Structure formats: structure tokens, C-alpha cells
Amino acid sequence: MRKIGVLSDTHGLLRPEVKEQLRDCDAILHAGDIDKPELLDELRECAPVRAVCGNADESWAALEGLELTTSLDLFGLKFYMSHMKKHIEKGIEDRDIIITGHTHKYEEKIVKGQLWLNPGSCGPRRVSSPITIAIIATEGDGSFQVQKIDLPHSEEEKKSEEKKNSRKKSPQKSSRKKSDEKNISRSKDTDKRDSEKVSRRKKNLRRTSAAKTSSSGRSTRKKSSSRAKEPIVTTELVEQVISDINAGTSVPTIAKKQGIEEDLAAQICRLYVTHQGIDAEGVLRKMSL
């Protein structure tokens, strides 16, 4: 039984747990983003290494003879390796296993009879990504088995992640609190504006009513005996007048709209405005006194 260790995206970190898994391997394949050539030397202490250049290796990869892609045969299996899928060339239909990296996510799937394998990342922890590598076992007859290896996070990484999560949650709570305070403040401002609007409306109605009453008192004209009879004041009529008052309608407009004398409209307005909380029936009772 031959074993091939497959890893990627170490980004300068070779964990002791990874080396322990690779010590029993006959060969190691690294799919790029190695970060520094010294890491390859550490891997060679475990087994012979073949690697490709990742986007984080471009500054030194040429010195190590690393290319973007490589094709090789190992223990009866045909491999093709590229750090990024976009660099994969045509004409790899005869390969048994295509290995990629870059995404930091483990992936294993069969496409048209070929195994596409991404061993994930076993380098520095990124957010909450798992730490993974793969081990391919073969008898040398073209058959093989793939084992995904999940490695534990170190205690330092766990503590670091907890601190990051704690820092992320605090601003969110503060932000929500500030947002709630803003909404409450806006609501209070709106209520205040509405209250001031109603107050101004009532003051205007009082002025209109007072002016009408004064004008009526100064008049020396006698009422004509032939004057039309005032309409019967009903609860429905008073409710309609009150509705117009709340809408900010002037007394002359209310009188014209409801088909009543301005004196009557002014009287209803005066009673409604000067008696807080009074309803239509209350206005009628006041008018009958």
C-alpha cells in the first residue's frame, strides 16, 4: 500500500499535526500558496515533494523551479495539479486525479470519470474554516482511496477566534442601541411637531371664533323676520364640523361646506376648542344650556 499526502495553502505554516500525518506517506503533493521555500524543505523531511506555484509564491517560485501546473505519474496513478482552476490546460482527459487549491475549502468529486480533489487549507486559520489535508492510498494497480483528514485548531487559535467574535458583537450591540435611541428621538420629535401643529390649529380657530363673535356684537342691524330658519343641529352635524376642525378647515369654509350659518359653525368650534376632550354629544349639551 502506497500513500500520497495532498495539501495546499499552507501560507508559511506547517503544523506539527500535519507533519505527523505526512511521515507515513511515500510522496507529498502541494497545490500551491506555500509562502516560503523553507516550508518545502520541512516537507522533504517527511517524503519527496512535488508542488506548483500559487498566487502567494510568485516572488520566489521560479528559483525553486515551480510552475503554475504540473502533470506527473505516481504509483500507477496519473495526476494533474494546478493551484487555480483557471490555469488548468486542455488535454488532461487521460489524468486520473486533478488536484487544485486556492479556495481553502475541501472538495472531492468525480467528473467524467476523473477525481477532482481540493485538499482545503492546513495553514493559518481563516475565519472558522476547517484545517484539512487528504491522503490517497493505492495498491499501484490504478485503484485508489481518498481519506479526508480534519485537524484540530490550536488553543491559541480558539482563543483568538473568541476574541474576534467578542469584538464583532460589541460594536453591533452598540450600533443597535444607537439606532434604537435615534428612532426614539425621531418619534419624540414627530410627536412634538404633531402636538405643536394641533395647538396652532386650535389657536387659529379661537381667533376666528372670537372675531366673529365680536363682529356680531357690534352689529346694529335687526334680524329680518323673514330670515331662514336655522337647521336642526344633530350629533352627526357636530361630528362633521369637529372633523373639519381637526383637519384645519376655517370657520367660513366649514359653514359653507355644512350648509350652516357662520355663527353656528363658530359656536361649535368655540365649544370644541375650549373644552378639551369634549365629543359631539358634549357639544350639543353645552349648546342646549
Side-chain angles (χ1 to χ4, degrees), residues 255-287:
K256 185 176 181 181
K257 178 181 177 182
Q258 302 298 338
I260 59 177
E261 292 292 330
E262 287 189 23
D263 287 345
L264 177 58
Q267 183 183 10
I268 296 173
C269 290
R270 184 169 60 256
L271 289 171
Y272 176 69
V273 170
T274 58
H275 293 78
Q276 189 173 6
I278 197 170
D279 58 6
E281 292 182 358
V283 172
L284 280 175
R285 285 194 295 272
K286 293 287 184 183
M287 292 177 70

Side-chain angles (χ1 to χ4, degrees), residues 246-261:
N246 290 330
T249 309
S250 66
V251 170
T253 303
I254 292 174
K256 185 176 181 181
K257 178 181 177 182
Q258 302 298 338
I260 59 177
E261 292 292 330

Side-chain angles (χ1 to χ4, degrees), residues 4 21 46 48 65 80 128-130 132 136 145 165 180 185 191 206 217 230 234 236 289:
I4 304 168
Q21 291 289 336
C46 300
Y80 184 89
S128 298
S129 299
T132 57
I136 300 174
Q145 292 180 334
N165 291 334
D180 291 341
S185 178
D191 291 342
R206 288 194 192 102
E230 286 285 347
T234 64
E236 182 180 0
L289 295 178

Side-chain angles (χ1 to χ4, degrees), residues 4 19 29 38 47 56 59 66 68 110 121 127 148 150 152 169 179 182 191 247 270 275 277 283:
I4 304 168
K19 290 184 71 173
L29 301 180
E38 291 80 8
S59 61
L66 302 185
L68 291 176
I110 301 294
S121 171
V127 192
K148 177 185 177 183
D150 285 288
K169 289 179 181 178
S179 178
K182 285 182 180 179
D191 291 342
R270 184 169 60 256
H275 293 78
V283 172

Side-chain angles (χ1 to χ4, degrees), residues 129-147:
S129 299
I131 302 169
T132 57
I133 64 172
I135 302 291
I136 300 174
T138 179
E139 294 288 353
D141 56 359
S143 64
F144 61 88
Q145 292 180 334
V146 180
Q147 181 184 7

Side-chain angles (χ1 to χ4, degrees), residues 60-259:
W60 57 269
L63 298 176
E64 289 287 329
L66 302 185
E67 298 182 353
L68 291 176
T69 65
T70 187
S71 185
L72 65 150
D73 295 352
L74 281 175
F75 313 125
L77 295 174
K78 297 179 179 180
F79 292 88
Y80 184 89
M81 188 161 55
S82 173
H83 180 64
M84 302 172 72
K85 287 184 177 180
K86 69 179 184 179
H87 293 145
I88 294 178
E89 303 161 316
K90 295 181 180 180
I92 60 170
E93 294 80 6
D94 65 325
R95 301 288 95 183
D96 300 310
I97 302 173
I98 292 91
I99 297 172
T100 61
H102 188 61
T103 65
H104 291 225
K105 294 180 180 179
Y106 188 95
E107 185 179 41
E108 184 182 327
K109 62 181 180 180
I110 301 294
V111 180
K112 296 181 179 180
Q114 295 174 307
L115 171 66
W116 287 70
L117 175 64
N118 186 324
S121 171
C122 59
R125 188 181 189 188
R126 177 186 287 186
V127 192
S128 298
S129 299
I131 302 169
T132 57
I133 64 172
I135 302 291
I136 300 174
T138 179
E139 294 288 353
D141 56 359
S143 64
F144 61 88
Q145 292 180 334
V146 180
Q147 181 184 7
K148 177 185 177 183
I149 306 293
D150 285 288
L151 299 167
H153 295 99
S154 67
E155 289 301 320
E156 290 183 3
E157 288 173 324
K158 290 178 181 179
K159 290 179 181 179
S160 176
E161 190 67 23
E162 289 175 359
K163 287 183 180 179
K164 287 181 181 178
N165 291 334
S166 177
R167 286 196 295 269
K168 287 179 181 178
K169 289 179 181 178
S170 296
Q172 289 176 354
K173 288 182 179 179
S174 176
S175 177
R176 281 197 295 268
K177 185 176 180 181
K178 288 181 181 179
S179 178
D180 291 341
E181 290 174 351
K182 285 182 180 179
N183 290 334
I184 291 172
S185 178
R186 288 171 183 167
S187 178
K188 287 182 178 179
D189 290 342
T190 301
D191 291 342
K192 184 178 179 181
R193 286 196 298 270
D194 291 343
S195 177
E196 291 174 350
K197 188 176 181 180
V198 171
S199 178
R200 287 196 300 270
R201 187 182 300 157
K202 288 185 177 181
K203 286 181 180 178
N204 291 335
L205 288 172
R206 288 194 192 102
R207 292 194 190 102
T208 303
S209 177
K212 188 65 182 179
T213 302
S214 176
S215 176
S216 177
R218 290 194 302 268
S219 177
T220 58
R221 290 179 297 175
K222 294 182 179 180
K223 294 181 180 180
S224 172
S225 60
S226 60
R227 183 177 175 178
K229 189 177 181 180
E230 286 285 347
I232 298 173
V233 181
T234 64
T235 303
E236 182 180 0
L237 174 62
V238 176
E239 288 176 345
Q240 292 175 354
V241 173
I242 290 175
S243 177
D244 290 336
I245 293 171
N246 290 330
T249 309
S250 66
V251 170
T253 303
I254 292 174
K256 185 176 181 181
K257 178 181 177 182
Q258 302 298 338

